[in-house]
Structures are given as structure tokens and as C-alpha cells.
Amino acid sequence: MKDKSFSALTPGALIVWFFALAGMVGIVVRFWAGLGAVSNLSDGYPWGLWVAVDIMAGVALASGGFVVAGVVHLFGGKQFQALARPAVLTALLGYLMFVMGLIVDMGQPWHMFYLFFGNHMSPLYEIGWCASLYTLVLCLELLPAVFEKYSMKRALRLWLKASPWLAILLLSGFTYAMTYSLVWFLVVTAILVVWEFLMVGGKTRRDVQVPFLLIGAGVMLSFLHQASLGVLYLMAPHKLSALWYSPQLPILFLVSGIGAGVSMMAMEALGSEKLMGHRIPFRPLVAFSRLVPMVLALYLVLKIVDILSRDVLPLLFAGGAAAIMWWVEVVLGIVLPLVLYLWPGFTAKRKGLFWASFFVVAGVVINRINVVMVGVDVERWGPYYPSWSEWLITMGIIAMGLLAYDWLTDELPIHESP
């Protein structure tokens, strides 16, 4: 049982509650008076701070859910079992915050449903389906914690039997939505059904705690749209600076998202231990975080090769906001945390792991802000700067996520007892 909470009137809790309430007021004003009353968005810059932080960065920081779940349940990493539920909860809240940011950002959010019946050649179409289905998968993955809380053993047994078939339904439906092909729908359905029967019959490996197909569905859906978010900006070569516009942008988004997701999981676990009194299993967290420097090294190599292969190296020394922010992103978010992770014994301590993870998270947030805001230049519209109310709503959504995490970890068996 934790001994701290945001329900206590500590200075930190008061700050979180202030931003959450102020953000709610800002959202009410946005829907009462319109986008123009609370933002500096325009026809030239329809995507700004909300897309950069709440959507682009939020989805990247939530990727720890599919990484940890995949390692634990698909690849036999049972030593990291205690990290699975906190990672899934972090991912679920990240996607719910993404949905909230999307609703706030859309001029007419009730038109969001057209996303599922629109142009299936559009990256937004695939992202909408992937993000929606993955959010549903995360809810299914978190249900056992609810059943355990209320001793619903019969419901848990039903969940174990039904969730593989729900996963088959989701993946088959996704296949048809992406291809509009009944043949591919039947092929994928047949393969998944045969695989499930083989697992039930003991012919292939089966996880007794969480069905393979459910975890596999989550990994595939998250993997796909992490990269697809980068595809969006390949449609804007005339707007995005050459420092970030690259055919490799989807790969860069995917790799950086994996590193950010694991780091966000570590930072949130250590932060909840400090602020909320949870006692997290530190050794598994340190062991799992050893994945991060490998991802960072790969990401740094990809960034360097990308810059050199496109002959845009002179732009790094041309001055201006874009060049400065590129260096901030790379030095602060890649090089510095990489050095901290490789420094002997630094991340073996709680404070060291927290700060190394913090810089990785900060680097990915800066990268998404660079791609969405800093690197975008639309002639005749002038530069875009977020309004104070845009910042307030963004901070409010983040604060609401923190409060939800605090409440859910108090109500449900998310963290293992010490």
C-alpha cells in the first residue's frame, strides 16, 4: 500500500491539481469559443503544440507498453514480469491523452468517425485504425488487474478464453480495413484461428497468464503506427526543413519511440516511487533499461547517416532556430543520455537511472516539436508560436494523466507488493 498520493495537499500535488483544473477550464473555453479563442493555429499552421506533444510525443512515450509486454509474454522475459502492468497502464493513459489532445485539436471533433470510412490510402486512415484498436487491446490487457481487485475469478477465466478470439477479430478486421480484400481477410483469419487451436492443443508455446494473440495484436498495431506517424510528414517536402525531412523519418520515429517508451516507463516508475510511495522492483528495471543505450546508439547512427546521405550537413552550421534545435535535440536527447547510460555504475542507482531516462524522454519530445513546429515553414503565413492557453491545455492534459495514474495505481494491483 502506498503512503503518498496526489490526494494529499503537498506542494507537488497542488501544482498538478492546478494545471489539471486550469487545463479543464481551457478545454471548456476551446469548445465554447472555438479554436481561435485559445490557439494561434491557422490555415497555414493547422498542426501545432497539441499535435507535437499530446499526439506525436505522447504516442512515442507510450510505446513502452508494447515493448515490455512483448518481451515478457512473447519472448519469455519472465524476470521483467513486475514491469508489465505499470508499462501497460502508462501506455493506456498515454493513448487516452492522445485521444483527448486530438479531440481538442480537431476543429470539428465529431467528424472523427469519418476517419474509419475515409481514404484507405491515407496514412491518417491507418494511424486511426491502429491507434483505436491498440487502445482497445490495452484495455483488454489491463482487465485482469480489475478482476483481481474484485476477486472476479470467473470473469478472469472467461477473459482468458475470450481474449484470443477478440484479438483474432481485431486483427482480421484491421486486415480488411487496410486491404478491402475478402481474400486477405479470410487468409489472416484462418492463420490466426489455426494458431490458436495449436496453442490450445499444446502444439505450440502458450502463455498461461496472457494470451499470445492478444499481446501479438498489441505489438503489431503499435509497431505499425509508430512508424506511420513519421509517414505523415513525408507528404510535406515543401514545408518541412531538410534537417528533418527524410525518407528515413518513419524508421527514425519507430526507433526513437522504442527508446523513449522504455525510458518513460523507468522515469514514471521511479517518479511514482518518490512521489506516491510505490516500491518498484529496481533490479529488473535496471536490467530492462540496458536496452536503451543500444537503441540510442542505433538512433544516433541512423541520424548521422541520414544527414550525410542527403548532403544537408552544411545546414547544421547555417545558424538559425532550426539548426540550433537540431543540435539541442541530438546533444541533449541522444548523446548526453548515451554517455550517462555507458558511465560505469551511473544508472545502477535510482537517481542516475531517473536522469538518464529523463533526458531520453526530453530528447524525443524535442524531436517531435522540431518536426511539427520548428522545422515547418509556410511562406506568407509567418512563424507559428503556441499561445499561453495552448501550453496551459497541454499541461492540463498531462496533469490529468498523472492524476489518473495515481488513482488507478491506488485502486488496482498494478505494482507488486514489496
Side-chain angles (χ1 to χ4, degrees), residues 110-160:
W110 48 89
H111 288 169
M112 188 183 300
F113 295 103
Y114 290 116
L115 181 67
F116 303 103
F117 307 100
N119 178 11
H120 78 287
M121 301 300 292
S122 168
L124 279 174
Y125 178 79
E126 186 265 354
I127 291 170
W129 273 93
C130 278
S132 301
L133 294 181
Y134 183 52
T135 303
L136 181 56
V137 168
L138 289 169
C139 291
L140 292 172
E141 289 179 9
L142 203 61
L143 272 180
V146 178
F147 298 148
E148 288 178 22
K149 165 71 174 181
Y150 297 102
S151 301
M152 301 168 66
K153 295 182 180 180
R154 185 176 180 181
L156 181 59
R157 290 194 297 269
L158 179 62
W159 175 87
L160 283 170

Side-chain angles (χ1 to χ4, degrees), residues 75-92:
F75 301 105
K78 297 303 179 184
Q79 67 270 33
F80 306 120
Q81 180 72 46
L83 305 177
R85 279 189 182 172
V88 169
L89 177 59
T90 299
L92 176 58

Side-chain angles (χ1 to χ4, degrees), residues 340-404:
L340 295 180
Y341 273 106
L342 297 179
W343 193 279
F346 185 83
T347 55
K349 301 176 182 178
R350 282 175 163 79
K351 187 176 292 187
L353 181 58
F354 177 86
W355 283 110
S357 302
F358 171 83
F359 284 116
V360 176
V361 169
V364 170
V365 173
I366 293 171
N367 170 259
R368 300 313 192 253
I369 290 176
N370 283 343
V371 171
V372 177
M373 295 164 51
V374 177
V376 173
D377 182 23
V378 183
E379 294 182 4
R380 80 183 177 82
W381 282 97
Y384 158 79
Y385 299 104
S387 67
W388 66 269
S389 48
E390 285 180 74
W391 284 106
L392 190 63
I393 291 174
T394 296
M395 296 300 296
I397 291 175
I398 295 172
M400 292 176 212
L402 291 174
L403 292 174

Side-chain angles (χ1 to χ4, degrees), residues 54-55 90 92-102 394 397-402:
D54 299 332
I55 298 176
T90 299
L92 176 58
L93 292 176
Y95 276 83
L96 293 178
M97 292 160 64
F98 150 70
V99 171
M100 185 178 294
L102 182 61
T394 296
I397 291 175
I398 295 172
M400 292 176 212
L402 291 174

Side-chain angles (χ1 to χ4, degrees), residues 13 86 197 231 324 341 349:
F197 277 120
V231 175
I324 293 172
Y341 273 106
K349 301 176 182 178

